[in-house]
Structure formats: structure tokens, C-alpha cells
């Protein structure tokens, strides 16, 4: 198992203040768990007796299943919460729901919510109660989605060095993030992790989905890669090593921000043709779920030589095992 003594963080809510050694600890720990997952018996007793509560107040397929499987592979007991069938329909508040899970012995709460800041607020309340509970943000509104960015980082670093994935292998690589940046917590978390790794991140989207304020994100962050904004696709794709496409998040659009999906695809959709201007080994990522034929052409999505989408999902389990393990073993030290 990787060296984890340096891990001191109780909650993972955002990547904005992540230190380089924290990224590398997660990458190394995830690599050990990838090895566990390749065995015949894909389970370790690391979190035996601990309770992981998955509190998903917003819909999810892969993130929720991935956290659940990760917890089970670590031998933790899992509790799954779905708002539609819970006491929230009877008026219970989010905090009271969290306290209920605390009373049942939850050690780690994995929280997704449509409002930014909810996992942070629950973490604060758990600290005030001196509960020792760890909170993992599984996506809060437009704010952050740390575990997604970490699995993206693990996928990219593993592609560049399978045996020893570490963030420095991304130094100087060009990563284009294309699409609905405004509503994307995935983009925000990836901006922190990729620039921390020294990558040059190029954001591209129509002005309504890529406001200028993103240009200020890296101010005062010091020693990092660079961040660029483009309101046209070509300069972002030119010689790019990786292209990360994002879903148009209609559920978060308060008004009509696009003339039509067809026009969006014409200007910002990623197709095989468009990839011609990228680096010849370019690979495409997408956090899922994908609107086929809108942000990404269907044939490209299914092409294993170009698409890393399945690897991202597979990486997700090892990375979430690493996160749960680091938070869970920190407590028992
Ligand atoms: C993302 C999310 O929920 O933020 N998906 C995911 O977690 N795999 C992106 C999205 O919803 O488009």
C-alpha cells in the first residue's frame, strides 16, 4: 500500500486548496487499488466495520454506483439514501437527515446536492458536533466535483505512465475542456487539478457558456500550469493532447443560452474531423452522461482508440477507493 501517513485532510470538498503531495498520494493509492481490482478476489478489509453513507440528493448513475462499489470493495458497510423515498418527502431537513445517519454510526458521508455548498455546510455541522465524520463532495451545484477530476487525473496520468501515475507527467500537456463550462462543476474541479499538475488548460465554449470571469480563476495561485479561454473551438483544439468534452447541462440553464442544439454541434461538437488538428495521439474524455451527437459525435464516443470514457468509469472505482481509504484510515490512526 502507498505511503499515507502524510494524509491529514478530514473532508474532500474542493480541489482549490489541494497540495501537490495530496494529488500524488491519491494517484499512488488508486494505483494500488487498481491492482487489487485486477485480482480474483477484488476485496480488502481496509474499512471493515466502518459505515459509508451515500447521500445523493440529486440524480446520479456512475458517481453513486462507483462510490458504493468502492466502499464495498473496502469491506465498509454502505447506506444509500434516495430523496424520493426518504423522510425528506415528510419535510425533514438535509441536516437532520445527515444527523440521522450520524446516529446510525456513519463514518464517511458522500454527498451530492443540486445546491453549491451543501456538502461544506454538512461538514461544518459534523465538525461542530465533534463527530469525526468525513464528508466527501460528490458534486454540489455548479461548484465542484472533486472525485470526478481526480479520476480524470488518474486516467490521464495512467495513460502516460501506467506503472507510476503521478501528476508531473502532465507537465506541459495541452488539455482542451470544451462545452458548457459555466454550469460545470467537473470543469471547475479539473481546472484546479490539471493546472496544479502543470498542464496548459484551454477552455472553449460559446460566450454564454464560458464567461470571462473564468480568466481570473488562477490569479494569485502561483506555480501552476496556464489557463486560456477561447470562444471558438479551433485554437483550443490545435495540437491538444487531450480533449475533455462536457454535457450541455439543460437542468441548470435558467434561460435559453443557445440558439439550437444543431448550431451548438456545428460550432462546438467534437467529431473525428475536428480532431485532425489535435496532436496525433489525442484522446477524448467525457464525464458522462453524454448527449450523443450534441457535444460528441456518436462514433467517436464508441471508438476505443480515441475515447477514454470507459477507462474513466473504471478508474473511478479505484480513485474512490483511494479517497474513502485515506479518509477512513486517517480516523483510526
Ligand atoms: C457530471 C456531474 O454530475 O456533474 N457527471 C458525473 O458525475 N459523472 C457531469 C454531468 O452531469 O454532465
Amino acid at each position: 500500500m502507498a505511503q499515507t501517513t502524510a494524509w491529514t485532510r478530514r473532508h474532500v470538498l474542493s480541489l482549490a486548496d489541494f497540495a501537490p503531495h495530496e494529488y500524488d498520494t491519491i494517484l499512488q493509492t488508486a494505483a494500488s487499488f487498481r491492482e487489487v481490482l485486477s485480482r480474483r478476489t477484488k476485496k480488502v478489509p481496509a474499512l471493515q466495520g466502518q459505515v459509508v453513507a451515500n447521500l445523493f440528493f440529486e440524480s446520479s448513475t456512475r458517481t453513486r454506483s462507483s462510490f458504493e462499489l468502492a466502499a464495498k470493495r473496502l469491506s465498509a458497510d454502505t447506506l444509500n439514501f434516495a430523496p424520493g423515498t426518504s423522510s425528506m418527502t415528510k419535510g425533514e431537513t438535509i441536516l437532520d437527515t445527515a444527523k440521522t445517519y450520524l446516529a446510525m454510526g456513519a463514518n464517511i458521508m458522500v454527498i451530492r446536492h443540486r445546491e453549491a455548498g451543501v456538502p461544506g455546510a454538512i461538514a461544518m455541522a459534523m465538525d461542530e458536533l465533534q463527530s469525526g465524520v468525513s464528508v466527501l463532495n460528490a458534486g454540489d451545484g455548479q461548484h465542484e466535483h472533486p472525485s470526478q477530476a481526480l479520476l480524470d487525473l488518474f486516467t490521464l496520468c495512467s495513460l502516460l505512465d501506467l506503472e507510476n501515475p503521478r501528476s508531473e507527467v502532465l507537465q506541459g500537456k495541452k488539455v482542451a475542456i470544451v462545452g458548457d463550462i459555466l454550469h460545470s462543476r467537473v470543469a471547475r474541479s479539473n481546472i484546479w487539478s490539471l493546472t496544479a499538475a502543470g498542464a496548459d488548460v484551454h477552455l472553449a465554449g460559446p460566450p454564454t457558456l464560458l464567461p470571462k470571469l473564468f480568466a481570473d480563476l488562477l490569479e494569485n495561485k502561483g506555480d501552476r500550469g496556464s489557463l486560456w479561454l477561447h470562444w471558438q473551438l479551433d485554437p483550443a483544439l490545435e495540437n491538444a493532447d487531450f480533449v475533455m468534452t462536457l454535457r450541455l447541462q439543460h437542468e441548470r440553464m435558467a434561460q435559453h443560452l443557445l440558439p439550437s442544439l444543431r448550431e451548438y454541434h456545428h460550432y462546438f461538437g467534437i467529431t473525428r474531423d475536428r480532431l485532425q488538428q489535435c496532436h496525433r495521439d489525442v484522446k477524448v474524455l467525457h464525464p458522462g452522461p453524454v448527449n450523443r451527437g450534441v457535444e460528441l459525435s456518436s462514433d467517436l464516443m464508441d471508438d476505443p482508440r480515441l475515447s477514454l470514457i470507459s477507462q474513466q468509469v473504471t478508474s473511478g472505482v479505484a480513485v474512490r477507493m483511494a479517497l474513502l481509504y485515506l479518509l477512513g484510515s486517517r480516523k483510526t490512526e
Side-chain angles (χ1 to χ4, degrees):
M1 190 55 58
Q3 262 291 355
T4 58
T5 43
W7 190 266
T8 52
R9 195 178 283 272
R10 173 174 294 157
H11 310 293
V12 175
L13 302 170
S14 156
L15 297 184
D17 63 347
F18 248 56
H21 70 88
E22 293 183 291
Y23 287 112
D24 283 322
T25 301
I26 290 169
L27 294 174
Q28 285 163 28
T29 314
S32 338
F33 286 127
R34 176 174 52 202
E35 189 275 314
V36 169
L37 294 172
S38 70
R39 295 182 200 158
R40 209 164 145 241
T41 307
K42 304 178 193 318
K43 215 163 171 155
V44 287
L47 293 192
Q48 206 155 41
Q50 295 211 31
V51 176
V52 175
N54 287 318
L55 311 183
F56 278 63
F57 298 93
E58 188 199 78
S59 1
S60 166
T61 304
R62 59 219 93 208
T63 306
R64 178 153 71 154
S65 310
S66 179
F67 267 115
E68 185 178 353
L69 186 58
K72 287 182 166 156
R73 298 287 201 218
L74 293 167
S75 307
D77 295 313
T78 54
L79 296 172
N80 286 312
F81 163 88
T85 54
S86 78
S87 287
M88 283 195 85
T89 57
K90 302 178 187 167
E92 185 169 74
T93 68
I94 294 168
L95 190 54
D96 285 336
T97 304
K99 283 183 185 164
T100 304
Y101 282 92
L102 172 64
M104 264 183 256
N107 301 100
I108 301 177
M109 294 182 187
V110 180
I111 300 176
R112 167 171 287 199
H113 199 279
R114 58 193 287 274
E115 300 290 338
V118 168
I122 295 180
M124 218 188 290
M126 289 297 138
D127 287 350
E128 274 164 17
L129 292 169
Q130 298 187 329
S131 66
V133 162
S134 286
V135 174
L136 246 159
N137 178 5
D140 62 332
Q142 296 173 204
H143 176 225
E144 284 222 38
H145 193 346
S147 67
Q148 179 68 43
L150 292 168
L151 76 86
D152 292 338
L153 187 71
F154 184 65
T155 307
L156 296 179
C157 295
S158 297
L159 189 78
L160 296 168
D161 189 342
L162 183 66
E163 291 309 312
N164 185 15
R166 59 204 185 283
S167 45
E168 68 176 31
V169 295
L170 278 176
Q171 187 96 39
K173 296 286 179 195
K174 178 171 177 179
V175 185
I177 303 183
V178 181
D180 184 358
I181 315 272
L182 173 65
H183 300 101
S184 176
R185 52 197 179 203
V186 175
R188 282 175 181 79
S189 290
N190 263 292
I191 289 170
W192 298 127
S193 52
L194 294 172
T195 54
D200 298 322
V201 176
H202 291 251
L203 307 177
T208 45
L209 299 180
L210 176 54
K212 272 205 178 108
L213 55 91
F214 274 86
D216 302 331
L217 264 188
L218 282 199
E219 243 175 40
N220 306 323
K221 277 287 171 186
D223 198 17
R224 286 177 177 247
S226 60
L227 185 66
W228 305 78
L229 268 62
H230 306 278
W231 291 281
Q232 279 168 351
L233 190 53
D234 291 345
L237 292 191
E238 201 186 340
N239 220 17
D241 297 283
F242 300 106
V243 180
M244 186 178 289
T245 49
L246 298 172
R247 185 174 67 89
L248 286 176
Q249 314 210 2
H250 298 288
E251 75 277 17
R252 298 202 188 111
M253 290 188 194
Q255 55 199 2
H256 292 290
L257 297 173
L258 294 167
S260 74
L261 292 184
R262 187 197 292 250
E263 185 176 307
Y264 177 80
H265 182 71
H266 178 72
Y267 287 108
F268 289 98
I270 302 298
T271 60
R272 218 173 271 277
D273 259 7
R274 285 222 125 121
L275 290 185
Q276 297 292 335
Q277 52 192 315
C278 299
H279 188 278
R280 63 187 159 76
D281 295 328
V282 69
K283 297 278 185 269
V284 176
L285 299 99
H286 194 302
V290 180
N291 294 307
R292 278 182 184 265
V294 180
E295 63 261 6
L296 186 59
S297 70
S298 205
D299 65 310
L300 198 52
M301 180 179 165
D302 298 329
D303 185 343
R305 284 164 309 170
L306 288 164
S307 161
L308 294 177
I309 296 174
S310 303
Q311 278 101 309
Q312 286 173 277
V313 175
T314 306
S315 297
V317 180
V319 168
R320 289 175 174 126
M321 282 174 85
L323 283 166
L324 294 172
Y325 170 76
L326 290 167
L327 297 179
S329 32
R330 187 195 151 274
K331 269 195 295 291
T332 52
E333 262 161 24

